[in-house]
Every structure is written in C-alpha cells, then in structure tokens.
Amino acid sequence: PSRPTHTVSISELLLLPDIMESTSPAAPGGEPNKYPQHPQQPDEEYISAFFAEPESTSQKFSRKIQSNPFIPLGLFATGFCLVGGLWAFRTGRQQLSNHFQRGRVLFQGVTVAAFLGQAYLDTQEKKEAAARA
C-alpha cells in the first residue's frame, strides 16, 4: 500500500484560510502557496437553471412526454388492456380476456424497454457532456 507523501497537521488545517489569503504564487517575497486556488466560473446553463422559475407540474409532464412519447403511450395501452381484460373476464369472454392479458404483457414489456432506453440515452448524454467540459 502506498502512503501519502505529505500529511497535513491539525494546525495547518486550522490555519488554512489564513494561508490561502496570505500567500499567492505571484506574491513577491512570499512563500509559494501550498494550496493553490482554482476559481471556477459557473457555466451559463447552471446559472440559468439555478435562477429559473420552478416549472409547474403540467410543464414538467409536457416536457417529459416530449422527451419520450413511448412511455406514456405504453402506460396508456397497458392500462387499456388491463381494464379491457378485466371487463372481458367479468362478462365471461375468456378468449377475449386472454387476448387482452397477452396485450397487457406485451405493452408492459414495451414500456419497460422505453424506460430503459431513455435511461441509457440520458446516461450517454451526460457522459458526452462531461467529456466536452
């Protein structure tokens, strides 16, 4: 196991704000800063997302439907087959009930595949954005 080459003492941790303010790499005659500051400028997307008005439930629902319309369609089709299958079972139409239940299973699978596909695409998009940054 490798050991750290430099250990930080408690006194250094307590003096860290003073050290960072008192020394800088460009200060003439000052010792070099052991803890260089790397200021990061927040990107515009982060700032606009932080100060943006929160979206309403209907706006969020609309945005989600537009990003992947297969998920709500699959949910609707699954629900339709479930209700239709229960109705057919209650009225004694076993063959129709079986068809509805097979359709329900099919649409459930399509909906789960749409969920997984969207999750994969979102992950890939985040990786690409991180690689560009």
Side-chain angles (χ1 to χ4, degrees), residues 8-19 35:
V8 179
S9 67
I10 294 176
S11 61
E12 284 181 308
L13 287 175
L14 294 175
L15 296 174
L16 184 63
D18 296 334
I19 291 171
Y35 311 101

Side-chain angles (χ1 to χ4, degrees), residues 118-132:
Q118 185 66 41
Y120 176 77
L121 291 176
D122 288 345
T123 304
Q124 292 302 106
E125 188 176 296
K126 287 180 184 179
K127 284 182 183 179
E128 289 174 4
R132 278 185 265 139

Side-chain angles (χ1 to χ4, degrees), residues 3-133:
R3 294 185 178 238
T5 58
H6 176 74
T7 56
V8 179
S9 67
I10 294 176
S11 61
E12 284 181 308
L13 287 175
L14 294 175
L15 296 174
L16 184 63
D18 296 334
I19 291 171
M20 291 181 75
E21 289 176 9
S22 66
T23 62
S24 68
E31 67 181 43
N33 191 352
K34 289 194 234 179
Y35 311 101
Q37 295 177 348
H38 298 287
Q40 288 184 327
Q41 296 294 331
D43 61 346
E44 294 296 322
E45 184 178 318
Y46 175 78
I47 291 173
S48 64
F50 185 76
F51 290 108
E53 293 181 26
E55 61 185 348
S56 68
T57 304
S58 62
Q59 289 171 330
K60 185 174 183 179
F61 186 70
S62 175
R63 181 176 52 85
K64 296 280 187 178
I65 286 176
Q66 289 173 357
S67 70
N68 190 350
F70 296 110
I71 293 174
L73 287 174
L75 291 172
F76 176 76
T78 301
F80 177 78
C81 285
L82 176 65
V83 171
L86 291 172
W87 171 79
F89 180 74
R90 180 150 170 98
T91 58
R93 301 176 177 176
Q94 278 193 326
Q95 189 174 7
L96 183 60
S97 177
N98 285 337
H99 287 302
F100 270 122
Q101 294 309 318
R102 289 179 189 146
R104 180 189 58 83
V105 170
L106 173 74
F107 287 124
Q108 276 182 323
V110 169
T111 306
V112 169
F115 270 114
L116 294 175
Q118 185 66 41
Y120 176 77
L121 291 176
D122 288 345
T123 304
Q124 292 302 106
E125 188 176 296
K126 287 180 184 179
K127 284 182 183 179
E128 289 174 4
R132 278 185 265 139

